[in-house]
Amino acid sequence: MGCILKGGGGLYSRVAVGAVLLAAGSGSRIGHRPKSLLELGGVPLIRRQLIALSGAGMDEVVVVLGHYADRIEEVVKEFPVTLVRNPNPDAGQNSSLRLGLQALSPKLDAVLVALADQPLINSQDINDLIGAYKKRPSGMQVVQPTVDGLPGNPVMFSTEVREQILAGDANVGCRQWQSTHPDQVHHWACSNKRYRTDVDTPEDIAALAARTGHQLKWPTDWVVTT
């Protein structure tokens, strides 16, 4: 088995990582339907994300639900994850993030925040991000993948950042923290377009199919007929 070496020759210590998977949105730009239930190869996107996180060896995973919570919970209930419901998901993504961060145990070294509408993320992508976090420059608290200079997801940050977000104002999330601490953000440049691929609109679904050949389909109970 291979291993990563520090510059001095020692092994990188293991990092205990907790993941927050956000799946609380209303899908207003995609016909008020749950994007996380879109299927690729017959598998809902949220299950694909959970499989990727599991394959990357997450120590724990919190899934934050809101809109369509009952329907989504049916899809993920057999996974060994903590399910949290946002009672006011329209308050914005930061409200869901904060609930997820609160639900994680305190015995973690880092947090990874993932989105349930990224269809192509796999366990190797997660492992690569964890590797970039382990090798981040000194003083960096957040690692965000960037592709062609544009920010991607998931994002990973230290427990110190988690604590600062939770101690801050309710409208402060990871993005706001990065804006006020740019000198502590490592923009990890890579060429992996999967970090930049998500679906917010019907046009995004069509563009994904045209670019990659991957066809996303709605489960039968969410197909819109005209």
Side-chain angles (χ1 to χ4, degrees):
M1 180 180 293
C3 60
I4 302 172
L5 298 179
K6 289 183 179 179
L11 293 176
Y12 280 102
S13 60
R14 186 182 182 281
V15 176
V17 185
V20 174
L21 179 58
L22 301 175
S26 67
S28 60
R29 297 168 60 193
I30 206 163
H32 290 279
R33 290 179 284 181
K35 295 183 292 182
S36 63
L37 295 185
L38 275 165
E39 296 177 354
L40 177 59
V43 180
L45 296 189
I46 192 165
R47 287 182 65 94
R48 297 181 71 91
Q49 281 281 1
L50 289 174
I51 291 167
L53 292 168
S54 175
M58 291 294 105
D59 290 272
E60 57 184 271
V61 177
V62 173
V63 180
V64 185
L65 305 176
H67 291 281
Y68 323 109
D70 289 343
R71 180 67 173 79
I72 297 171
E73 185 170 336
E74 283 298 310
V75 172
V76 303
K77 62 184 180 182
E78 74 268 28
F79 285 88
V81 301
T82 299
L83 298 177
V84 176
R85 295 198 180 198
N86 185 346
N88 186 20
D90 290 328
Q93 191 178 87
N94 284 346
S95 69
S96 293
L97 171 64
R98 294 169 73 89
L99 286 171
L101 294 179
Q102 290 167 359
L104 288 171
S105 77
K107 299 178 181 180
L108 296 169
D109 300 310
V111 176
L112 184 147
V113 179
L115 308 177
D117 63 354
Q118 288 193 280
L120 304 182
I121 293 291
N122 59 40
S123 59
Q124 185 59 56
D125 301 326
I126 303 293
N127 276 323
D128 289 346
L129 176 60
I130 294 171
Y133 181 85
K134 289 179 178 179
K135 294 181 282 186
R136 69 195 187 282
S138 177
M140 298 293 102
Q141 298 269 36
V142 176
V143 173
Q144 179 164 44
T146 59
V147 184
D148 298 328
L150 299 173
N153 286 290
V155 174
M156 195 166 168
F157 51 82
S158 67
T159 53
E160 288 82 2
V161 173
R162 170 197 178 185
E163 292 165 2
Q164 290 174 29
I165 289 174
L166 290 177
D169 191 80
N171 64 355
V172 172
C174 185
R175 185 176 301 174
Q176 291 76 20
W177 192 95
Q178 291 185 67
S179 296
T180 55
H181 302 83
D183 58 324
Q184 298 177 52
V185 180
H186 176 48
H187 298 284
W188 171 48
C190 63
S191 60
N192 186 348
K193 295 185 182 299
R194 291 188 290 274
Y195 294 125
R196 283 280 305 166
T197 302
D198 60 9
V199 287
D200 290 316
T201 66
E203 290 76 19
D204 290 338
I205 294 176
L208 178 70
R211 180 168 62 85
T212 68
H214 291 299
Q215 298 277 351
L216 296 180
K217 297 182 179 180
W218 291 104
T220 54
D221 55 332
W222 285 99
V223 173
V224 175
T225 59
T226 56

